[in-house]
Amino acid sequence: MAKLYTLIKNATVVSMEGSPQAVLEECDILIENDRIKAIGQQISAPTDEETITIDATDCIVTPGFVDGHHHMWQHLLRGLTVDWSLYGYCCHLRSVYGSLYTPDDVYFANYAASLSLLNNGVTTVLDHCHVINSPAHADAAVKGLKDAGIRGTFCYGFYPNPPVPGDMASAANDKFSPVARLEDAARVRQQYFADNEVDNSLITFGVALNEPPLVSREDNVAELDASRKLGARIITVHTSVMPGDIVKGEVIQNFSTAGRMAPDLVFSHGAYMTKDEMQALQQSGAGVVGTPDTELQMGMGYPVVWKALDQGCRACLGLDITSNQGNDFIVQMRLALQTQRARQLDRKVAQLLPRKTADAMRLATLGGAEVMQMESSIGSVTAGKKADLVIFRCDDIDTVPVVDPIGTVVFHASPKNIETVIVNGKIVKRDGKLVGVDWASLSGQVKARSQRLRDDAAKVDMTNAENLFKAAFEKGMEEAPITSF
Ligand SMILES: [Zn+2]
């Protein structure tokens, strides 16, 4: 079979290899099929093969961003929750909106969300999919991801949206019971992910567990064991989201006590982890994902990523809830970095800052690959790795002069500078536009489905759900100690 070549010429390459991270000037990158074949100066492609050549003069090439925590289904609701706290979100998104989704809603949400991520240079995502109300919802979620051509891990959610919107108690009578859900997860694993290897499949299979108090500690461990039996490559769970979680030690401490901590675990959030939990995280090789935009907005604490790095843990960034904010990953790097700088510099004098821009870039790329157990395949611009690359054009009024290429990407560029995106050797965005997308049709679907969901949600009596969540949140705050470590 003929090989496909892409040759990127004369780029500034932020490889993310080494410490400090290497930046290569006037550099060429040769891609053969799905992998980076060679990196260096004056590289040429084989003359007898067809080659796509990209002139990357005045461009910076980085690895694709890796988003470690994202609820893709919420894409249809973007803008809805910009002024909501976690309490409001739990009431409405997880007790009403999730229940209203049809399988087709899930398909279009996952497809559009994936394309939006690619448009923003995010080439790999962990989809924490807690909208699986039936087997058809699971099929639709997988198809949406696969049709878009993004890389990632589909994490089958065990969360039962209440079949009667707004009535959390109705979940107990759902005919899609926990047993049926587990059987369906096994079906999905077999049907779509028979080969669950990162090197062979763009999308791989994982599981998103429930978080206490939605399940008991014992049931949480049982869910984890069942997920490993299914062959889930990654198992993700929300963790230590509120101050009250410090005294409860419900997830990491529970898994640690049960002897279940391992590198396949990805914990999202975790600002209120205890010292012991952080140590268990470090010793097991499990990862943690900070989601700066949503955490800062919704009362989930300061992003845990720096503390986690200091303790030698695997850490990365995620977008989480894009009904709050958009998919700009550059913003996540900046929020994580600047928030930490503000905290560390409070009433102190220092010429140089304690946290570096290159470290934020690493969290967004190689750090994400490490958390998702994919660092041998992606996360850096390295010969032999999969070709997941972002090309920033940096010759406009906002980016000239380029003094520090990593600084330009993190502090001066924006998604409008992302000219080309390559996933698995395939160009998915070229000349600033997504390739092969019928946007007129897709945008019509997104708008109509969003409107219907919002109209249906407006008819739901929220009294019970609001009282239930308010009591749970207030109890959590009451139990909260004054400070965390
Ligand atoms: Zn989440």
Side-chain angles (χ1 to χ4, degrees):
M1 208 170 82
K3 289 176 176 163
L4 299 172
Y5 288 92
T6 302
L7 182 60
I8 302 168
K9 295 290 292 176
N10 202 29
T12 296
V13 178
V14 173
S15 75
M16 300 317 294
E17 280 193 330
S19 180
Q21 284 85 353
V23 175
L24 313 167
E25 301 286 353
E26 297 174 11
C27 185
D28 302 342
I29 302 171
L30 180 64
I31 300 167
E32 180 185 89
N33 295 335
D34 56 342
R35 288 184 188 277
I36 299 168
K37 173 91 172 161
I39 304 165
Q41 293 192 323
Q42 303 296 326
I43 290 177
S44 48
T47 48
D48 54 342
E49 301 281 358
E50 198 178 323
T51 303
I52 299 168
T53 301
I54 299 172
D55 179 4
T57 305
D58 292 326
C59 293
I60 298 170
V61 179
T62 72
F65 297 125
V66 180
D67 173 0
H69 183 64
H70 196 131
H71 306 296
M72 307 281 275
W73 62 272
Q74 293 167 355
H75 189 89
L76 298 184
L77 306 173
R78 45 183 16 191
L80 181 73
T81 58
V82 293
D83 292 326
W84 290 16
S85 67
L86 188 62
Y87 158 57
Y89 166 86
C90 284
C91 281
H92 293 262
L93 269 282
R94 293 190 67 175
S95 84
V96 175
Y97 279 92
S99 307
L100 297 171
Y101 267 62
T102 65
D104 281 349
D105 293 334
V106 174
Y107 171 77
F108 282 104
N110 268 27
Y111 179 59
S114 301
L115 293 175
S116 172
L117 289 175
L118 293 172
N119 194 46
N120 282 278
V122 178
T123 53
T124 298
V125 66
L126 186 159
D127 179 17
H128 181 132
C129 188
H130 51 8
V131 72
I132 301 180
N133 303 334
S134 76
H137 287 71
D139 294 336
V142 173
K143 186 168 164 46
L145 295 172
K146 289 196 171 191
D147 283 0
I150 198 165
R151 190 187 299 283
T153 300
F154 164 73
C155 288
Y156 189 113
F158 286 169
Y159 175 65
N161 283 289
V164 180
D167 179 4
M168 294 300 281
S170 68
N173 304 317
D174 190 354
K175 66 179 189 314
F176 198 37
S177 65
V179 173
R181 190 174 290 273
L182 199 56
E183 281 170 8
D184 188 55
R187 172 193 68 84
V188 168
R189 163 80 167 87
Q190 283 309 314
Q191 189 171 338
Y192 301 111
F193 305 99
D195 179 347
N196 205 25
E197 296 294 325
V198 166
D199 268 359
N200 303 334
S201 308
L202 265 187
I203 301 291
T204 49
F205 176 83
V207 166
L209 303 178
N210 282 303
E211 64 276 3
L214 292 166
V215 283
S216 68
R217 292 180 189 199
E218 296 73 26
D219 286 350
N220 215 195
V221 172
E223 283 187 345
L224 175 59
D225 291 345
S227 307
R228 287 186 172 142
K229 250 192 184 158
L230 288 176
R233 201 186 66 76
I234 289 290
I235 301 160
T236 193
V237 58
H238 292 127
T239 305
S240 311
V241 175
M242 289 196 301
D245 292 351
I246 292 173
V247 286
K248 290 187 279 183
E250 282 178 325
V251 183
I252 298 180
Q253 187 181 308
N254 184 34
F255 288 171
S256 183
T257 305
R260 302 298 204 279
M261 291 292 285
D264 57 356
L265 283 162
V266 174
F267 297 99
S268 50
H269 313 306
Y272 298 102
M273 261 187 246
T274 63
K275 241 182 185 154
D276 287 349
E277 286 181 310
M278 190 69 87
Q279 199 177 18
L281 191 74
Q282 188 271 330
Q283 286 172 351
S284 64
V288 67
V289 189
T291 62
D293 240 321
T294 59
E295 287 164 0
L296 292 168
Q297 173 179 327
M298 299 175 106
M300 293 193 274
Y302 292 104
V304 75
V305 290
W306 305 104
K307 198 156 60 179
L309 288 181
D310 290 347
Q311 306 288 322
C313 302
R314 294 183 160 214
C316 75
L317 301 174
L319 286 155
D320 195 7
I321 299 166
T322 54
S323 53
N324 293 356
Q325 86 290 331
N327 288 324
D328 185 342
F329 221 65
I330 299 168
V331 165
Q332 303 314 312
M333 290 192 277
R334 282 221 296 276
L335 280 176
L337 187 59
Q338 303 293 56
T339 307
Q340 188 68 8
R341 286 171 167 179
R343 297 181 76 198
Q344 288 190 274
L345 275 182
D346 187 21
R347 283 161 285 180
K348 290 194 180 72
V349 177
Q351 188 191 343
L352 287 175
L353 295 166
R355 301 294 177 177
K356 304 301 179 200
T357 306
D359 294 334
M361 187 75 193
R362 193 184 189 285
L363 281 168
T365 53
L366 194 53
E370 288 169 350
V371 167
M372 289 181 69
Q373 304 291 319
M374 297 169 88
E375 71 271 26
S376 61
S377 299
I378 59 161
S380 63
V381 186
T382 305
K385 282 196 180 183
K386 296 281 191 179
D388 288 7
L389 303 170
V390 182
I391 304 179
F392 290 81
R393 174 155 292 284
C394 295
D395 59 0
D396 66 357
I397 189 72
D398 297 315
T399 50
V400 171
V402 175
V403 174
D404 167 354
I406 296 178
T408 296
V409 169
V410 177
F411 278 99
H412 300 283
S414 68
K416 78 175 165 53
N417 296 99
I418 297 178
E419 188 175 72
T420 302
V421 179
I422 298 173
V423 180
N424 212 38
K426 190 176 167 204
I427 298 173
V428 295
K429 182 178 183 181
R430 183 105 199 240
D431 299 327
K433 286 207 159 46
L434 291 169
V435 176
V437 174
D438 181 352
W439 175 238
S441 161
L442 179 58
S443 67
Q445 289 284 355
V446 170
K447 285 184 206 166
R449 289 173 188 281
S450 176
Q451 189 63 57
R452 194 207 79 241
L453 286 163
R454 285 178 283 129
D455 289 347
D456 287 352
K459 296 172 197 153
V460 176
D461 179 359
M462 290 302 302
T463 315
N464 282 343
E466 282 179 359
N467 288 340
L468 187 86
F469 280 105
K470 192 153 187 276
F473 273 74
E474 281 176 353
K475 187 162 181 290
M477 295 303 171
E478 264 171 37
E479 289 169 348
I482 305 296
T483 54
S484 64
F485 93 96

